[in-house]
Structure formats: C-alpha cells, structure tokens
Amino acid sequence: MLYLQQSSCGKGWRFAASDHRGWILEGFPENQEQARLLQSSGIIPRHVVVLYAADTVLIERNSGKRLDPLTEEVYHTTFDWPSDVRIQQRLVEPDLSEEEMSKQLLEYHRNFPGVFQIYQKILRSINADQPCVDVLSQALTYVQTQHRSAAPFTPRMLFCGPPGSGKSLQAALIAQKYGIVNICCGQLLKEAVADKTKLGELVKPYIDSGYPVPDNIVMKILEKRLNAPDCMTKGWVLRGFPRDIEQGERLQKACIIPNRVFFFNLPYESIIERLSQRRIDPVTGERYHMTLRPAPTPKIQARLKQNPKDKEESIEKRVDFYHRNAKELEEFYEDAFYVNADQDPYPIFEFIESCIIKPLP
C-alpha cells in the first residue's frame, strides 16, 4: 500500500511490514517521475490512499504542532497535548513557518495530478478533516478490499524470455492494472521453503545446493497455487516456468492451459549490458546499475558488490540454456505473441496490453 498526502494530513500511522504481511510507504513518490521510478523498479502498490484537507486547515494544524526534542514525539496544542507537565515545558515549535508550509502545499498541488495519472485505477481519496478514528476506519476498509480484474476475460498468461528481458517488470505492471495474480516460479519455491511446508522441505536441499528442483515437485507447488481461488477467479501471469517443452507438456497434462503466451526477445549484447552492470549495496540492500542508475556518491560506489549470477560467464550459460529450449517451446505455443524487449518499458507494456484485449485465438 502507498500513502500520498498533503502536509499535516495526519498520516502518522505505522504498520509492521514483511514479505508475507505486506508494506506501507508514505512520503514517496512526490511527483510523476518518482512514481515511474517506483514502477520501473518493480515496486507496485495494490492500494493508494490519498489524504486531503483544505489548505487553511492544514496550515492551522501545522501551527499547533509541538516537538519533544528529547523523544522526537510530535504533539499538538489542540488535538494531542501531553498531560505530563515536564513534557509540556520542553516542547518546541517546529521550524516550518506558515510561509514555508504554503510553498510546500503549492508544490504538492502542482505535482499531484501527475501522480494521480499513474495510480488512478487503485487510488482512493479520504477527507482527513475528520476524527482520526474515522480516517483510519475508511483507510482500513479500502485496503482490505480486493480489486476486481479489469481484463475482458480471465487471463492466464505465460511470460517466457531470456534473463534480463524485463519479464518481472511487465508482469508487475499487468498484474497491477488488471488485478490478476503475479506468480514467479522461483519465488514460489522459495516461499514454500520459508513456510516450511512438506513440499518446501523437499525443495530446500536443491535450492541450498544450487541444483534445479525436479519437475514433479515444482508441478505440485504450481498446481496448488494456480488452482487457488484468487488465481481461478482473477487470473494469473506466470514467469519462470515452463523452461522447456517437457515442462510445457506437464502444464498441459495438468490442465493448466494459458490463453496468452508472450516470448520476450532481446539481443545478447543488450542482456549483457543490462545484467553485468547491476550492483547491490551490501549495507542498505539498494540496487544500482553502473550506467542506468549509478550510485550517488563515491563512498557508496566503492562498496558495491556484484551478484555472481550477474557475471558474464554465468549470464552466458543462462542465456544459452534458454535458447536451446526456446525453439521447441515456441512451436509448442504456436499462437504466442512475440515482444521486442529491446526498448523502453512503456511501449512494451502497451503492446502486451493490446494483445490482451484481442479476441482469443
């Protein structure tokens, strides 16, 4: 979930976040460019809540704020005054003046339409000029709802392509717009291990040793997930499986038959350029690209590490494995669409979307 708000709208709620429980982000993005940066990084919220109130109300709220310099707790002269006299005596006014507050609001109003355009399908506006309990109740009600799929049919889609071809990003964008379930086979196996299921216990030795998980185990996990109620009702987009014709035949035998298949095509030189220059900051976990998104400071640049999978010899093996099996898979899925992945993400997304709304073959 993502919170967007005008200053002093009262967005100070905090929720625990994890891979399984979800996350909440507030204060970012502040403009359309930042929103697109989130999308290009694969960070796709399911719900966006916009808190709004009249500028006069927000300026008045800000003028009543007081800060405890010892604990950094924020209080308010009208709505949240501490009962402890010692706390009252040490409170100080924030540095933000009424004039600076007005400038921030003006900047917000200037940038918000661009952000709204990105998230309008999943965005809910809530009036923050009401009791905090009511605002929280409306926000919780919205984030607990499930979006209906906007697709013209129940999508069952496969994304096939070499590493670095952008399958993950496009799957995330399609899943967000059409409300379908985004499934990565590799991630599904890791989740089974993390959840310590019986199948996960069978998968763990293979993942730990770096060997491929046997197809029969993968199929059991995939069948269970793709036959879950959310996949059956909303549809799904799957990547990472099948990787050869035998796996495709296993899917078909299990009656898991996609109605849209996309093959992403990307030249080897572009794959190398995209993957071999990726780096990760071991301190913050932030990901960078030596050309497209370099580290902001020399200090960060000096400590960046490369994932062994992104070394050229490893990339070459993975690409070679894909191309050895791609021809047979393309013949197996004879009605597939072919995507030129060597271009910006948004033209690719528009092409995929145009194929989704075409009649079934």
Side-chain angles (χ1 to χ4, degrees), residues 96-332:
L96 190 64
S97 67
E98 183 173 328
E99 182 180 357
E100 291 169 332
M101 176 74 175
S102 299
K103 288 181 180 178
Q104 286 191 8
L105 288 171
L106 182 63
E107 186 71 12
Y108 173 85
H109 292 309
R110 183 183 296 117
N111 290 325
F112 178 72
V115 180
F116 174 83
Q117 185 180 9
I118 299 290
Y119 295 119
Q120 57 183 317
K121 297 283 187 181
I122 54 170
L123 184 146
R124 172 68 58 84
S125 296
I126 297 176
N127 183 6
D129 189 16
Q130 55 182 320
C132 180
V133 174
D134 294 336
V135 177
L136 178 59
S137 175
Q138 292 176 48
L140 286 176
T141 299
Y142 174 58
V143 301
Q144 289 168 355
T145 61
Q146 294 292 329
H147 298 299
R148 289 188 61 187
S149 172
F153 57 92
T154 304
R156 302 186 300 276
M157 295 190 288
L158 286 183
F159 282 2
C160 304
S165 56
K167 302 184 297 296
S168 299
L169 172 59
Q170 295 302 326
L173 292 173
I174 288 292
Q176 175 189 305
K177 178 158 187 179
Y178 290 102
I180 64 179
V181 183
N182 183 4
I183 298 174
C184 171
C185 184
Q187 186 62 35
L188 201 61
L189 298 177
K190 292 176 183 177
E191 289 173 1
V193 173
D195 293 339
K196 297 182 179 179
T197 63
K198 290 183 178 180
L199 287 172
E201 292 175 0
L202 296 176
V203 170
K204 190 175 186 303
Y206 294 96
I207 290 183
D208 290 344
S209 61
Y211 287 104
V213 181
D215 289 349
N216 61 323
I217 300 177
V218 177
M219 276 303 304
K220 288 179 181 179
I221 295 174
L222 263 182
E223 279 188 79
K224 182 179 179 181
R225 184 67 189 94
L226 294 176
N227 288 318
D230 59 342
C231 287
M232 298 291 286
T233 56
K234 294 191 290 186
W236 44 264
V237 54
L238 171 65
R239 63 192 192 282
F241 194 97
R243 297 195 296 171
D244 55 45
I245 191 170
E246 289 78 11
Q247 293 178 348
E249 290 170 344
R250 281 178 177 270
L251 280 180
Q252 192 172 62
K253 187 176 180 181
C255 295
I256 300 173
I257 302 173
N259 49 30
R260 292 289 188 278
V261 178
F262 295 88
F263 284 93
F264 289 62
N265 293 324
L266 189 66
Y268 179 74
E269 295 76 14
S270 298
I271 295 173
I272 291 296
E273 182 182 358
R274 288 186 183 184
L275 299 185
S276 65
Q277 297 192 51
R278 295 194 302 192
R279 298 292 187 273
I280 189 167
D281 184 345
V283 177
T284 65
E286 189 75 18
R287 297 183 180 186
Y288 297 97
H289 191 279
M290 304 298 285
T291 303
L292 303 177
R293 188 171 180 254
T297 66
K299 183 179 179 181
I300 297 176
Q301 175 70 40
R303 70 183 184 224
L304 295 183
K305 301 293 183 182
Q306 184 182 39
N307 190 318
K309 289 174 61 178
D310 291 338
K311 293 185 180 296
E312 189 164 344
E313 56 271 22
S314 175
I315 298 171
E316 185 176 356
K317 289 179 182 178
R318 291 156 61 201
V319 172
D320 182 60
F321 176 85
Y322 170 78
H323 286 298
R324 283 203 312 268
N325 296 286
K327 187 63 177 177
E328 287 186 330
L329 263 182
E330 290 172 4
E331 293 174 354
F332 185 73

